[in-house]
Amino acid sequence: MRKPLIAGNWKLNKTVTEATELVSKLKNAVADIDTVEIMIAPPFTALSRIADLLQGCNITLGAQNCYPEACGAFTGEISAELLKDVGCQTVIIGHSERRQLFNEPDNFINRKMKATLKAGLTAILCIGETLQEREDELMFDVLTTQLQAGLTGLTAEQMQKVVIAYEPVWAIGTGKTASSDEAQEVHSFLRGILQGTVDQPTALATRIIYGGSVKPDNIDGLMAQNDIDGALVGGASLKAGEFERIIRFQ
Ligand code: 13P
């Protein structure tokens, strides 16, 4: 019912030449797969070239961020409209690195969600607690706030193009991953919040994917959980072999 989504967030990595090499390898490696949706989000500078390379194949293209206005005097920013124009189908929004390093608040993230959906693209809303918040037992409050604020004003119809990514901040790039059981507990909690905030059909249909040190050796356990519908992969998506093994979870 919920098609698994394995998405690679390349962050600030890969020149156009390196990106081309990686995508060429990946395309061949996963060409036979149709039971998993595969997405990669290279840096902005590689999007146009990679969009050409991905024509007609089973990997879709995403961007790592967008600005909420469609066009205008916003020096240095890129809109969802321009991302669509270059061939993107998805935008990653509210990643913890943007929340923390660039001080992006929930209401700004909500505007990006709306702009992305208005452009007809899929929006991946990232949420996650810090280690301090988890230790202080604020985790569920923080996640509820981030989820509800990110989705404010969206209709059930718009929710069909929303994916939630649970990325505990303490697990990102640290090699520490939430255990499968810990992740499942949170995913199930988030589905409950979606049910209360939107409705039950939406809660059941929305994909909730996990991110934070996802590797070939932990993906199988994560994907065996009822409420984990895929993964948002950072470091391991930069190596074709590792990313392929994650896509071929068992
Ligand atoms: P890592 O897989 O490198 O921990 O990164 C996770 C992430 O932030 C994906 O968006």
Side-chain angles (χ1 to χ4, degrees), residues 7-11 92 95-97 126 165 167 171-176 210-215 231-237:
N9 174 9
W10 292 11
K11 308 191 180 184
I92 298 170
H95 192 281
S96 63
E97 285 149 19
C126 301
E167 297 206 304
I172 295 178
T174 58
K176 286 184 202 160
Y210 173 81
S213 296
V214 173
K215 306 284 179 214
L232 185 53
V233 186
S237 72

Side-chain angles (χ1 to χ4, degrees), residues 11 42-48 63-67 76-78 83 86:
K11 308 191 180 184
F44 289 139
T45 46
L47 288 177
S48 175
Q64 301 171 20
N65 183 32
C66 73
Y67 191 72
E77 295 298 324
I78 304 283
L83 294 172
V86 84

Side-chain angles (χ1 to χ4, degrees), residues 22 43 53 78 86 89 100 111 152 196 217 237 239:
L22 175 53
L53 277 179
I78 304 283
V86 84
Q89 284 150 274
Q100 294 198 324
R111 286 177 59 209
T152 297
D217 64 5
S237 72
K239 295 183 185 140

Side-chain angles (χ1 to χ4, degrees), residues 177-222:
T177 181
S179 70
S180 303
D181 289 343
E182 282 172 327
Q184 166 59 26
E185 183 194 9
V186 173
H187 283 230
S188 156
F189 170 79
L190 296 174
R191 210 174 291 290
I193 299 290
L194 284 178
Q195 178 167 341
T197 311
V198 194
D199 56 34
Q200 193 191 31
T202 302
L204 289 176
T206 302
R207 288 177 294 182
I208 306 178
I209 65 176
Y210 173 81
S213 296
V214 173
K215 306 284 179 214
D217 64 5
N218 58 26
I219 186 67
D220 299 345
L222 289 162

Side-chain angles (χ1 to χ4, degrees), residues 16-31:
V16 176
T17 305
E18 291 165 347
T20 305
E21 269 172 39
L22 175 53
V23 168
S24 306
K25 282 189 204 157
L26 190 63
K27 252 172 72 163
N28 291 332
V30 302

